[in-house]
Structures are given as structure tokens and as C-alpha cells.
Amino acid sequence: MRRFSFCAGHRLVGHEGKCQNLHGHNYVLEVYVTGAEQDAVGRILDFKQLKTRCKDWIDENWDHTFVLWEKDQNGLDAIRSSEPHRIYELDSNPTAENMAKHFLEQICPKILGDSGATAYKVRLWESEETYAEVELD
């Protein structure tokens, strides 16, 4: 497992409380990997390689970005009206659960594809008290 920290903004369309507003979090993402074989050193994947692959993607896509639902036209328009801006359009409402699921199911296979490792669980901390966890079936 490797842990990554990043800052991002979002809002939850349809939320009954404060989270319907644009706001941000200091996220912590934990990525758990496994593999069929260990290398000659005894590793499934070197921690540095896991760090590089995941952190590069996070830095390019989520860190200091607004993660918004692709159907949230009002939120997208609001952020686009500011220059400069960074937006990552998610195919679902950007709850911690949906972000974790997206990272595990769509991003991890791409960034780990040729490494011999497979991500089987992602835990995304939205605050020090709350997280969502997703595992492959």
C-alpha cells in the first residue's frame, strides 16, 4: 500500500447540506496492490514505482483541481469562468465513494498495466474522520 496526499475541490449535486456548495478537501488516497509474482528482490512492485505511477497521475489530474460531475453544467460553467482553472470531469457525482471507484476501476489499470501489479483496493480519505473504501470483486 502507498499513501498519497492531494488538495482538490468539488461539490455534490443534490446534496442536502453544505456539500452542495463548491468547497475543497485535503484528500489522502491509499492504493493497495497485489501481484501473481515477486521479482528477484522479493517485491511485487517497488514502492518508488508505485509512487511515481500514482503520484504523476494525481498531480496531472486531481491535485489543485476541481473534480466535478460531467453533468454539473452550472458548476462547470462557474469554474470555467475563472482563469486560470483546472477541472477534472468525473462520469458520476464526485463523492468520495465515486472518486475511489473511478480511481480503482478506470485509472489503476491504465497506470499499472505493464507493472505486474494490480490494485485491488482504494481508500480515499476526505477528512481525518471520513473515508470511502472500494475493492474489486
Side-chain angles (χ1 to χ4, degrees):
M1 185 277 291
R2 179 80 195 210
R3 182 176 294 126
F4 306 92
S5 300
F6 65 98
C7 301
H10 75 154
R11 78 175 191 162
L12 301 180
V13 176
H15 192 277
E16 311 80 12
K18 293 179 183 179
C19 292
Q20 67 184 312
N21 300 302
L22 291 168
H23 65 286
H25 294 283
N26 295 316
Y27 289 97
V28 175
L29 180 70
E30 296 176 0
V31 180
Y32 295 76
V33 300
T34 191
E37 294 182 26
Q38 293 172 282
D39 66 12
V41 178
R43 305 165 297 191
I44 301 241
L45 179 65
D46 183 72
F47 285 126
K48 184 176 181 181
Q49 282 194 32
L50 181 58
K51 175 184 177 184
T52 299
R53 290 167 184 259
C54 292
K55 186 165 175 22
D56 285 354
W57 189 92
I58 292 165
D59 287 349
E60 290 174 21
N61 294 279
W62 279 357
D63 189 43
H64 286 80
T65 298
F66 274 94
V67 180
L68 297 172
W69 187 13
E70 64 187 13
K71 295 182 180 179
D72 180 7
Q73 197 58 54
N74 182 273
L76 291 166
D77 289 345
I79 299 304
R80 287 185 181 128
S81 71
S82 174
E83 290 294 336
H85 64 267
R86 287 174 36 121
I87 298 172
Y88 185 88
E89 292 187 35
L90 202 64
D91 59 1
S92 55
N93 218 5
T95 60
E97 295 88 344
N98 285 338
M99 289 174 67
K101 185 176 192 295
H102 177 78
F103 195 82
L104 178 63
E105 294 178 358
Q106 295 184 36
I107 305 308
C108 285
K110 292 176 187 173
I111 62 177
L112 296 175
D114 63 348
S115 71
T118 302
Y120 67 89
K121 179 168 75 172
V122 165
R123 181 179 291 160
L124 181 63
W125 292 84
E126 197 172 79
S127 73
E128 291 182 6
E129 296 87 20
T130 58
Y131 70 85
E133 183 174 289
V134 179
E135 290 188 57
L136 293 179
D137 296 329

